[in-house]
Amino acid sequence: MNRLSDMQLLVDAADLNSLSAAGRRAGLSPAAASACLQRVEAMLGARLFERTTRQLRLTEEGRIYIASCRVAIETMKEAERAVRSGTDGVSGTLRVSAPSDLGRNLLVDILDSFMDLHPEVRIVLTLSDSLSRFVPDDIDVAIRVGPLEDSDLVARHLADSWRVVCASPTCIATYGMPKHPEDLVELPTLVLTTNAGPRNEWRLGEAVVRVRRYHECTDSEVIRQWAVLGRGFAYRQLWAVTTDVREGRLVLVNAPAWSTPTPIHAMYHPNVFQPPRVRRFVDFLHAEVARRLSSNAADATAFSST
């Protein structure tokens, strides 16, 4: 219990930006709080905080250690709640972030099933089309689509999805069905814009084209609606337009030849002690995404022949 008390003191010091304030919260004198920090730093052989008369700032080693302390404390609390309530210990708040398209078209149903299995888990879901590969400290699991940059995060491959070119029957009747990837360069197109800029470089099978005549928007749902309205050719994930294709509002263009597989990963911080809700969710997510996207490539082939 002394170790957990030390961890809680350090977490409070990081949150309050003050070792003295953390000590007061724990009922310790400033000297006792300082002695606790020195004892932990000596045990680890690393400095956790940079201390001045005005502020307390986490070092890189401190950031890593405090993140693990948070997990250890929360895991202990969950174990106590599980024993008291007789549940399986899967409880607490689960913070998830994902791209908007994936959240609306795939993740919402997966989370709904997870909520049924684990009613004691509170979900905080963040959806955005401008999410970076970086996973903030306050996110438990981040779902990312596309190639990943090197990082110290754990990345678990969930499945591969498929990007496809699509357009409305009206758009195709007006501009014709493009036969070669280069044909799209000068045709009206619809481009999603993120923090990194417009995504106007499209990989179509072995070819890569940079479209020039495009409307752009930061909201992927608007891109889909513009495509349905016939405003141009769009480059979307198959699962985001499957319903529109099946109901005839959109047509796939040269699929699967122009369709490109894209990896989906679940990313999380490499803490040794992951709360049960995080471990259980990642396993559940892996199984569900693989199951729901198993026919993705087959759909592209089937749709192209309709």
Side-chain angles (χ1 to χ4, degrees):
M1 291 302 295
N2 287 338
R3 180 67 63 82
L4 282 174
S5 298
D6 290 348
M7 289 181 178
Q8 186 64 64
L9 177 70
L10 298 179
V11 168
D12 289 343
D15 291 342
L16 298 172
N17 198 31
S18 169
L19 186 59
S20 297
R24 286 193 296 272
R25 176 178 287 183
L28 299 176
S29 67
S34 180
C36 172
L37 175 57
Q38 291 173 14
R39 181 172 65 252
V40 174
E41 288 180 332
M43 177 193 69
L44 296 173
R47 183 176 292 275
L48 301 180
F49 292 93
E50 295 291 349
R51 284 158 282 177
T52 68
T53 56
R54 293 188 175 183
Q55 66 175 357
L56 194 69
R57 185 179 64 83
L58 280 171
T59 63
E60 179 62 19
E61 293 79 6
R63 185 187 66 80
I64 295 171
Y65 186 71
I66 295 299
S68 295
C69 287
R70 293 183 193 278
V71 173
I73 292 169
E74 184 61 26
T75 299
M76 179 60 71
K77 290 180 179 178
E78 287 188 355
E80 292 171 351
R81 286 194 294 266
V83 171
R84 287 196 296 265
S85 63
T87 67
D88 61 1
V90 183
S91 60
T93 298
L94 178 69
R95 293 176 171 83
V96 181
S97 72
S100 297
D101 261 2
L102 188 143
R104 284 190 294 259
N105 294 283
L106 187 65
L107 185 58
V108 65
D109 290 333
I110 293 175
L111 283 172
D112 186 58
S113 299
F114 187 77
M115 292 175 190
D116 286 341
L117 289 174
H118 305 290
E120 297 300 317
V121 175
R122 171 177 174 265
I123 302 296
V124 177
L125 178 61
T126 301
L127 298 180
S128 174
D129 287 315
S130 295
L131 290 170
S132 69
R133 304 297 177 222
F134 172 71
V135 180
D137 287 338
D138 60 349
I139 294 295
D140 295 309
V141 180
I143 304 168
R144 299 292 185 260
V145 180
L148 299 178
E149 300 173 356
D150 291 336
S151 75
D152 59 353
L153 299 170
V154 177
R156 181 169 178 180
H157 180 259
L158 302 176
D160 286 330
S161 64
W162 289 75
R163 291 190 185 277
V164 294
V165 178
C166 58
S168 71
T170 300
C171 180
I172 292 173
T174 301
Y175 299 101
M177 178 69 79
K179 297 180 180 180
H180 307 285
E182 296 76 16
D183 295 343
L184 286 168
V185 173
E186 297 301 336
L187 287 175
T189 50
L190 307 169
V191 170
L192 180 69
T193 298
T194 67
N195 291 337
R199 294 182 175 177
N200 63 327
E201 187 173 279
W202 298 359
R203 177 173 291 279
L204 309 178
E206 297 300 318
V208 177
V209 299
R210 186 180 292 274
V211 297
R212 297 175 186 163
R213 295 179 53 201
Y214 57 84
H215 298 294
E216 62 181 278
C217 183
T218 58
D219 190 324
S220 58
E221 176 61 15
V222 172
I223 298 295
R224 187 195 68 81
Q225 292 183 21
W226 278 348
V228 170
L229 292 170
R231 294 300 176 184
F233 294 83
Y235 186 53
R236 308 300 303 129
Q237 293 288 346
L238 177 57
W239 38 258
V241 297
T242 294
T243 301
D244 292 313
V245 173
R246 285 187 173 142
E247 297 181 0
R249 291 184 293 271
L250 292 175
V251 175
L252 296 187
V253 177
N254 294 328
W258 287 8
S259 304
T260 304
T262 307
I264 304 176
H265 289 91
M267 303 180 68
Y268 45 94
H269 298 283
N271 297 317
V272 176
F273 301 105
Q274 285 288 2
R277 64 180 179 276
V278 174
R279 296 196 304 271
R280 197 69 61 88
F281 176 67
V282 172
D283 289 342
F284 184 82
L285 182 67
H286 180 267
E288 286 296 303
V289 171
R291 180 179 69 83
R292 292 166 188 258
L293 295 185
S294 61
S295 62
N296 216 225
D299 280 346
T301 305
F303 288 159
S304 67
S305 61
T306 58

